[in-house]
Amino acid sequence: MNIWQLQILTHLAELGTMNRVAEALFVSPATISQQLKDLEDDLGLTLIEKQGRKVYLNQTGQELVERAQPVLSELETIENDFKTRQSEITGIVRIATFTSALNSILIPVIKKINQTFPSIECRIYEEEPDQSLLGLRSHKFDIVLTGYFEKRSLFPIQTSYRPILAKINY
C-alpha cells in the first residue's frame, strides 16, 4: 500500500468512475485499474465491486477511504508547509534614513513589512542624506530614504543605476 494508491482510491470514492479519476490525475484508465488491483493484492482484500462496466467501493473500500482521508490531508498539509518554507522570503535589509523620516515614515512601513514578511530583519541606520547615498553606492545600505538636497555631485547618476519608484501606503 502506498500514498499514490490511497489517493486513487479516495478519488474513486469522490468521482465515481475510473475514467474521471484518470482524467483528474492525468493518467490512463488502465493505470488506475492496475494501481487499484495492486492495492487490493497488497492488502489481500477486495475493495472494489464491479457491476457491469461500473465499479463501486465495497464496505472495506469505504472504510479504507474514511481512514486514509485524514492521513492524506495531513500529508498534504505537511508538504505545503515545507514548500512554503522554500519560497519564504528571508534575510536582512539595511535601511538608512534621516532622523525626521524615521518615526513618521519608516517605522510604520517596517511594521507592515514585518507583518507580511516575518522572516525579514530590517536594520535601521540614521544618516544624513549625503552619507546615506554614499552608503548605498558602496553597498553599506540596501535602501535609502532621503529627501531632496542641493549637492547632486555626491551621487552622480550612472547608466548602470536605474531608480526604483514605489508607492508606499501606510
Side-chain angles (χ1 to χ4, degrees), residues 11-82:
H11 276 77
L12 182 61
E14 292 171 15
L15 300 174
T17 69
M18 289 198 192
N19 283 335
R20 287 184 186 160
V21 174
E23 288 173 13
L25 298 176
F26 303 104
V27 296
S28 69
T31 299
I32 298 301
S33 180
Q34 184 61 52
Q35 288 299 314
L36 291 172
K37 182 175 178 344
D38 290 348
L39 177 59
E40 288 180 323
D41 291 346
D42 288 348
L43 295 173
L45 299 168
T46 302
L47 304 170
I48 300 167
E49 301 292 333
K50 295 181 181 180
Q51 291 181 352
R53 299 185 78 182
K54 296 190 178 195
V55 294
Y56 300 96
L57 294 180
N58 62 20
Q59 183 64 34
T60 306
Q62 290 173 359
E63 287 177 26
L64 182 55
V65 166
E66 288 173 14
R67 292 187 65 187
Q69 282 176 329
V71 173
L72 293 172
S73 179
E74 181 63 22
L75 287 172
E76 184 178 356
T77 300
I78 291 168
E79 182 180 10
N80 289 338
D81 287 349
F82 281 90

Side-chain angles (χ1 to χ4, degrees), residues 101-115:
L102 190 61
N103 290 327
S104 61
I105 299 172
L106 193 56
I107 299 297
V109 170
I110 289 176
K111 285 180 182 177
K112 284 199 169 199
I113 290 170
N114 287 336
Q115 290 170 352

Side-chain angles (χ1 to χ4, degrees), residues 123-142:
R123 293 186 183 166
I124 303 169
Y125 301 87
E126 289 185 68
E127 295 282 343
E128 292 300 316
D130 58 341
Q131 293 301 310
S132 63
L133 290 174
L134 289 173
L136 181 66
R137 188 173 192 181
S138 67
H139 305 287
K140 179 180 176 184
F141 306 120
D142 301 304

Side-chain angles (χ1 to χ4, degrees), residues 88-93 113-114 116-122:
E88 187 174 19
I89 298 172
T90 62
I92 299 169
V93 178
I113 290 170
N114 287 336
T116 308
F117 305 102
S119 296
I120 295 283
E121 177 186 340
C122 295

Side-chain angles (χ1 to χ4, degrees), residues 130 133-134 137 148-158:
D130 58 341
L133 290 174
L134 289 173
R137 188 173 192 181
Y148 175 79
F149 62 100
E150 298 274 334
K151 298 178 184 178
R152 292 184 167 247
S153 62
L154 291 175
F155 195 74
I157 297 175
Q158 298 176 355

